[in-house]
């Protein structure tokens, strides 16, 4: 049974299942979901807890299997927690997890909680994950995307009986807050808690948030790709500066940008040969959010524009490897800025005449 994170609190109020599987790469949200399950279990008499962290290929799964059937003299109900940081239990683990799923059914003395990172499509189709999902409750914890972050911050502030001003001023405050904590939800939570300690309940002014909230943003090179294709110029500049400050490899940033340009060119060429856009995107393995971004920007990009961008990507490839090129910065990060912003402006929703 699959459950959305938002459905977990009402679910726990109604009933408690013997098996829960949490998977996702957002530590704060996974931790909060696991805490909610543990808290609900404690109210129903699950007083004992054992934790098993699966590490290495020689992990002893027999201890995990035995834990489900062994209770201390002082408890009649227990929580058995299985943490698999790699998301890959291996052959023995696959068999063991299927046994765990089978033994969980109808077991009212042991609650099993399995914690996993974000899983790829293939892993979600594996026999062991299917067994866990079918025998209990599986919850996929998705990250909070940048466009949803201001609303998430507002909701968390409300839990502390705080709020921003109404209207445009409040939106500016939330956007500023989101810029400071993007990609670092755990730090965002800590900054919200700090505001609750610094200021009383009620309305927060922009100046209060500006002075209190630290710049703890962490940037993902693949999120940079989405920001470029979305035409978010200011965000792209901020992300590039952040990636440079974090010590990200120039070649990885270049590879991500160049791959997008090459994919755009290949799809454009396929369309010129008569292929429908959906078919061309599938052939280039473009899907999800990037598929929607491609659909929006491709009509704006001429073949000549894409050829120029492709040439620019080739030039920047040399610059980040130490070569020089006329008309281009000699510094690798400056060259990446020029390439990224060149593509970003072409993808921008602004008409060319308005760009100056």
């Amino acid at each position: 049974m699959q459950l959305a994170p938002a459905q977990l609190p009402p679910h726990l109020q109604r009933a408690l299942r013997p098996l829960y599987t949490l998977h996702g790469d957002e530590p704060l949200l996974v931790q909060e979901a696991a805490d909610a399950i543990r808290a609900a279990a404690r109210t129903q008499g699950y007083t004992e807890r054992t934790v098993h962290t699966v590490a290495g290929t020689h992990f002893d799964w027999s201890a995990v299997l035995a834990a489900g059937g062994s209770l201390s003299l002082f408890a009649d109900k227990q929580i058995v927690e299985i943490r698999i940081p790699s998301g890959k239990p291996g052959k023995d683990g696959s068999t063991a997890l299927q046994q765990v799923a089978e033994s969980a059914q109808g077991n009212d003395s042991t609650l099993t909680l399995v914690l996993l990172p974000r899983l790829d499509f293939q892993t979600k189709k594996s026999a062991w994950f299917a067994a866990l999902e079918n025998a209990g409750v599986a919850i996929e914890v998705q990250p909070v995307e940048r466009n949803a972050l201001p609303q998430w911050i507002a909701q968390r502030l409300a839990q502390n009986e705080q709020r921003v001003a109404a209207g445009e001023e409040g939106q500016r405050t939330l956007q500023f807050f989101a810029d400071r904590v993007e990609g670092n939800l755990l730090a965002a939570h800590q900054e919200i808690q700090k505001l609750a300690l610094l200021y009383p309940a009620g309305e927060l002014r922009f100046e209060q948030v500006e002075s209190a909230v630290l710049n703890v943003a962490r940037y993902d090179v693949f999120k940079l790709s989405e920001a470029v294709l979305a035409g978010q110029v200011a965000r792209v500049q901020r992300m590039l500066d952040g990636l440079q400050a974090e010590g990200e490899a120039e070649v990885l940033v270049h590879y991500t940008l160049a791959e997008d340009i090459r994919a755009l060119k290949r799809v454009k060429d396929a369309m010129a040969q008569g292929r429908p856009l959906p078919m061309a995107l599938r052939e280039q393995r473009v899907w999800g959010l990037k598929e929607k971004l491609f659909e929006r920007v491709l009509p704006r990009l001429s073949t000549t524009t894409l050829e120029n961008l492709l040439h620019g990507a080739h030039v920047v490839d040399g610059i980040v490897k130490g070569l020089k090129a006329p008309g281009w910065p000699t510094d690798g990060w400056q060259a990446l800025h020029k390439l990224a912003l060149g593509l970003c402006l072409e993808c921008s929703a602004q008409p060319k005449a308005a760009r100056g």
Side-chain angles (χ1 to χ4, degrees):
M1 168 181 163
Q2 294 184 11
L3 204 66
Q7 296 173 306
L8 181 61
H11 162 84
L12 293 174
Q13 289 177 355
R14 291 192 305 270
L16 199 62
R17 298 287 290 271
L19 174 62
Y20 289 87
T21 303
L22 301 178
H23 56 109
D25 270 347
E26 191 50 73
L28 172 68
L29 301 183
V30 170
Q31 175 183 314
E32 289 180 342
D35 285 346
I37 294 169
R38 296 186 197 106
R42 282 194 295 271
T43 64
Q44 296 193 29
Y46 290 83
T47 55
E48 193 169 278
R49 175 178 169 229
T50 58
V51 179
H52 305 268
T53 301
V54 179
T57 56
H58 302 294
F59 178 76
D60 182 12
W61 284 94
S62 63
V64 176
L65 297 173
S70 59
L71 288 166
S72 74
L73 296 174
F74 307 102
D76 57 359
K77 290 185 177 182
Q78 66 170 339
I79 300 172
V80 175
E81 201 164 303
I82 306 171
R83 301 179 179 182
I84 312 176
S86 68
K88 305 291 184 184
K91 184 178 179 181
D92 291 343
S94 174
T95 302
L97 288 172
Q98 290 177 68
Q99 292 179 32
V100 166
E102 184 178 352
S103 62
Q105 299 186 53
N107 189 340
D108 57 1
S109 63
T110 299
L111 184 148
T112 303
L113 177 59
V114 182
L115 301 177
L116 297 155
R118 182 177 63 86
L119 303 177
D120 57 32
F121 177 80
Q122 205 64 35
T123 304
K124 289 178 184 178
K125 296 297 181 183
S126 64
W128 63 267
F129 184 78
L132 293 174
E133 189 176 46
N134 293 333
V137 176
I139 302 171
E140 181 173 7
V141 181
Q142 298 278 9
V144 179
E145 298 294 343
R146 175 59 181 80
N147 60 353
L149 190 53
Q151 181 62 28
W152 184 88
I153 292 169
Q155 291 171 347
R156 292 293 172 123
L157 289 172
Q159 292 176 8
N160 294 333
E161 299 183 357
Q162 291 181 319
R163 65 184 185 278
V164 297
E168 187 175 336
E169 180 187 347
Q171 290 305 309
R172 182 169 75 100
T173 303
L174 291 174
Q175 290 293 345
F176 171 83
F177 201 143
D179 288 344
R180 286 282 180 105
V181 300
E182 179 180 356
N184 198 347
L185 211 60
L186 185 58
H189 170 72
Q190 292 168 345
E191 294 300 308
I192 290 167
Q193 297 305 109
K194 183 170 70 176
L195 286 170
L197 294 173
L198 290 174
Y199 303 112
E203 187 173 289
L204 294 168
R205 301 192 314 275
F206 174 80
E207 292 75 18
Q208 291 174 319
V209 174
E210 183 182 33
S211 64
V213 176
L214 297 174
N215 187 355
V216 291
R218 295 290 180 269
Y219 297 114
D220 181 339
V221 67
F222 301 107
K223 294 294 182 185
L224 169 68
S225 167
E226 294 172 2
V228 169
L229 292 170
Q232 299 169 337
V233 176
R235 186 181 176 211
V236 167
Q237 290 176 315
R238 195 166 57 245
M239 294 180 85
L240 284 167
D241 289 340
L243 288 166
Q244 181 179 5
E246 291 169 19
E248 187 61 82
E250 296 174 16
V251 290
L252 179 58
V253 177
H254 170 265
Y255 173 80
T256 303
L257 295 171
E259 275 296 289
D260 282 342
I261 294 170
R262 283 192 285 265
L264 286 165
K265 180 66 166 61
R266 287 193 292 262
V267 173
K268 193 77 172 181
D269 290 345
M271 292 170 63
Q273 294 170 7
R275 279 186 176 80
L277 177 57
M279 181 185 296
L281 289 170
R282 280 198 304 273
E283 289 174 350
Q284 296 304 319
R285 303 173 67 82
V286 177
W287 44 64
L289 175 59
K290 191 164 284 191
E291 178 182 7
K292 296 176 182 176
L293 291 169
F294 270 47
E295 288 174 349
R296 186 183 70 83
V297 304
L298 274 165
R300 302 179 55 82
L301 301 173
S302 68
T303 299
T304 301
T305 296
L306 287 170
E307 287 174 349
N308 290 336
L309 287 167
L310 203 57
H311 174 71
H314 175 72
V315 171
V316 176
D317 179 51
I319 293 173
V320 298
K321 294 174 181 175
L323 303 178
K324 294 181 180 180
W328 283 82
T330 55
D331 177 78
W333 280 103
Q334 290 180 16
L336 287 168
H337 269 269
K338 182 174 179 178
L339 177 65
L341 292 175
L343 175 56
C344 187
L345 285 171
E346 292 294 344
C347 295
S348 172
Q350 301 173 7
K352 292 187 178 181
R355 296 182 198 164

